[in-house]
Amino acid sequence: MKKTATRLADGRELIYYDARDDAVRDAVDQRPLDPISTRSEIRHDRLLGDDVAVASHRQGRTYHPPADECPLCPSRDGRHSEIPASDYDVAVFENRFPSLAGDAGRCEVVCFTSDHDASFADLTVEQAALVLDAWTDRTAELAQLPSVEQVFCFENRGREIGVTLGHPHGQIYGYPFPTPRTRLMLRSLAEHRERTGRNLFDDVVADERSDGRRIVLDGEHWTAFVPYAAHWPYEVHLYPKRRVPDLMALDDAARTEFPQMYLELLKRFDRIFGEGEPPTPYIAAWHQAPFTADDRDDFALHLELFTIRRTSGKLKFLAGSESGMNVFINDVPPEAAAERLREVASK
């Protein structure tokens, strides 16, 4: 992998990740951009104990532009985008409309490919491996920022999820605090260790593999399963078999196998609802340990992949119980979801 860092016209950082060592990235951003002005702040909810990012400047972000005006495509034929080069493998840049900025963290955009009409599932194994390298490198770089406590790499796919740009891309958030979801995991981890003397993540994975009914894929270095208490209609958790706290700690064997496993899962997600259905909307979320957590080494890196579509043409809405009380109601039994995901293995 070759990494080339540069700056956009308004001073934001742009990083190219290339598979070829001889790639030259010297294109200059020629857009007349004004300096970025963000109004992001973190407000603490005293009742719930969590934090809310208030970012009013995001109201003006780009919203469903036509394909020929996509800001994530390469700059070609006299049209300038966020990527000055005429082609690229993987590109990462600071978000122009960040939810978190300055002392409140950092937000980046990850462009998986220059092909506007592709999806992550269309990538080759080599391309997916390069994305993994980019996620890992960005985690390492953001770990050095004093304003970042936890790095969250994720992809939103589909209009139903709220995606406003159709180009295949994801995001990276550098939070200035451990997220509420992570804090709950760390609390459960500590309680389980005090009660049993064992690691909760290890026990969860071992129990799923022993039961077997919810296993979707079981590789040499990774295991994918629908969790026993899945919140979403179709939800898969992907764990490396050797527990590590973050992407930086993955060994070469796990890094080599990951692209095949992940691409297979994404292809199966697109087959869940049968032929002729539109692409399955999903969220893919990497869970990594906060950098200063006391029990950081006990945390288990894993990826959670889920869709809000519950059946053909119908979505799972977060209504009163979910949104008002955070009590999820799942219409699809996890065992049935796992069976369906095993049935739709790619040919």
Side-chain angles (χ1 to χ4, degrees):
M1 178 192 76
K2 181 179 180 182
K3 174 183 174 182
T4 306
T6 184
R7 294 280 173 179
L8 296 172
D10 54 11
R12 287 175 295 133
E13 189 175 19
L14 165 68
I15 307 102
Y16 295 100
Y17 294 90
D18 287 289
R20 293 172 45 199
D21 290 336
D22 60 351
V24 176
R25 300 299 182 189
D26 56 4
V28 177
D29 184 5
Q30 301 181 25
R31 296 172 298 170
L33 298 180
D34 293 328
I36 289 294
S37 176
T38 61
R39 292 172 294 279
S40 178
E41 62 174 310
I42 302 296
R43 297 189 179 184
H44 185 69
D45 186 322
R46 291 184 292 173
L47 289 180
L48 297 180
D50 58 14
D51 299 284
V52 176
V54 179
S56 60
H57 61 277
R58 284 175 54 78
Q59 288 280 34
R61 66 188 185 274
T62 308
Y63 188 80
H64 293 303
D68 61 356
E69 296 179 15
C70 174
L72 307 184
C73 286
S75 294
R76 295 173 181 165
D77 303 322
R79 190 184 71 83
H80 302 296
S81 72
E82 292 278 61
I83 318 294
S86 60
D87 197 8
Y88 63 85
D89 290 345
V90 174
V92 179
F93 60 87
E94 289 183 74
N95 198 322
R96 193 176 180 187
F97 303 96
S99 302
L100 310 166
D103 292 339
R106 175 153 162 151
C107 292
E108 300 181 341
V109 177
V110 184
C111 298
F112 302 139
T113 171
S114 60
D115 184 353
H116 180 86
D117 298 317
S119 69
F120 201 116
D122 296 323
L123 300 183
T124 65
V125 167
E126 292 74 20
Q127 288 174 312
L130 186 59
V131 175
L132 177 61
D133 287 343
W135 284 331
T136 305
D137 182 73
R138 296 316 302 153
T139 297
E141 290 292 327
L142 295 182
Q144 305 304 311
L145 298 181
S147 62
V148 173
E149 172 63 18
Q150 183 178 11
V151 173
F152 177 44
C153 306
F154 65 100
E155 180 192 2
N156 298 327
R157 205 279 281 271
R159 286 193 175 216
E160 301 94 328
I161 298 295
V163 174
T164 57
L165 297 176
H167 195 103
H169 73 287
Q171 299 180 66
I172 301 175
Y173 277 17
Y175 291 107
F177 47 74
T179 66
R181 189 174 176 89
T182 302
R183 288 202 300 266
L184 286 174
M185 291 184 191
L186 290 172
R187 187 180 72 185
S188 297
L189 179 67
E191 291 174 350
H192 186 81
R193 183 175 58 243
E194 183 177 350
R195 186 172 64 253
T196 69
R198 299 191 304 271
N199 183 279
L200 175 59
F201 290 106
D202 292 349
D203 282 359
V204 166
V205 175
D207 289 347
E208 291 292 354
R209 297 189 69 211
S210 176
D211 182 287
R213 291 176 296 166
R214 291 175 296 276
I215 295 293
V216 177
L217 291 172
D218 195 23
E220 184 177 356
H221 302 286
W222 295 83
T223 296
F225 57 87
V226 178
Y228 172 77
H231 288 54
W232 300 95
Y234 291 90
E235 175 181 343
V236 175
H237 293 189
L238 179 62
Y239 279 78
K241 290 185 176 179
R242 184 179 72 87
R243 173 168 45 86
V244 294
D246 54 35
L247 290 165
M248 298 181 290
L250 285 174
D251 60 26
D252 289 343
R255 299 182 70 82
T256 298
E257 187 180 64
F258 169 78
Q260 297 98 316
M261 296 281 287
Y262 187 47
L263 291 172
E264 175 65 20
L265 285 176
L266 293 180
K267 290 171 183 175
R268 292 191 189 196
F269 257 59
D270 275 341
R271 292 187 174 94
I272 294 173
F273 304 104
E275 297 293 332
E277 287 292 318
T280 301
Y282 65 74
I283 293 174
W286 279 109
H287 290 264
Q288 304 192 79
F291 297 123
T292 59
D294 291 337
D295 43 5
R296 187 175 196 281
D297 289 337
D298 291 331
F299 192 87
L301 167 77
H302 64 284
L303 184 143
E304 298 184 7
L305 173 68
F306 59 90
T307 179
I308 62 171
R309 187 179 292 166
R310 57 187 174 88
T311 190
S312 180
K314 297 179 181 179
L315 301 180
K316 165 64 179 176
F317 292 103
L318 299 188
S321 186
E322 292 88 356
S323 294
M325 283 296 178
N326 201 28
V327 177
F328 276 67
I329 300 168
N330 191 352
D331 299 332
V332 180
E335 293 75 18
E339 182 177 5
R340 178 58 180 159
L341 284 163
R342 289 193 296 266
E343 289 175 350
V344 295
S346 61
K347 305 298 188 291

